[in-house]
Amino acid sequence: MKTLEDYLSRYDAGTVLDIACGNGAFTRRLIKNLKSYFTITGLDIKKSLRSEFLEDIQGHNVNFIASAIHDYLKSPRSFDTISISNGS
């Protein structure tokens, strides 16, 4: 395996949580390269990023949640895969 894309192309991700998703750059990479996934939830504290995040990826079983991580995870949640790319 030489690149992240090589790994992703072999990975069945199930339900995915993309933490600190920002404008969706890494989420788009997941959509393009994962072998399969059921849903991807992009989570970011900045509500203003919603429209940019959802641009060009609607219809791909993807949604955006504007929330702090600790607030969002207060309720029981279940994900098969959790990704964090460039989170700070």
Side-chain angles (χ1 to χ4, degrees), residues 1 5 10-11 16 24-25 39 41 44 46 68 79 88:
M1 210 174 315
E5 285 76 12
R10 298 179 188 137
Y11 189 69
V16 179
T39 61
T41 299
D44 201 282
K46 297 178 185 173
F79 295 94
S88 56

Side-chain angles (χ1 to χ4, degrees), residues 14-73:
T15 56
V16 179
L17 176 61
D18 186 12
I19 295 175
C21 65
N23 67 3
F26 190 72
T27 306
R28 286 175 180 78
R29 197 169 177 188
L30 293 172
I31 291 167
K32 181 179 178 182
N33 293 291
L34 280 170
K35 178 179 178 182
S36 70
Y37 65 91
F38 182 68
T39 61
I40 299 176
T41 299
L43 178 66
D44 201 282
I45 198 164
K46 297 178 185 173
K47 293 178 186 180
S48 61
L49 293 171
R50 177 186 300 277
S51 61
E52 189 176 353
F53 175 87
L54 292 172
E55 187 176 315
D56 301 326
I57 60 175
Q58 292 182 0
H60 286 276
N61 256 358
V62 175
N63 60 62
F64 178 89
I65 303 293
S67 175
I69 296 166
H70 66 276
D71 290 337
Y72 181 70
L73 296 177

Side-chain angles (χ1 to χ4, degrees), residues 1-12:
M1 210 174 315
K2 296 180 182 172
T3 66
L4 176 62
E5 285 76 12
D6 291 335
Y7 175 77
L8 292 174
S9 70
R10 298 179 188 137
Y11 189 69
D12 295 309

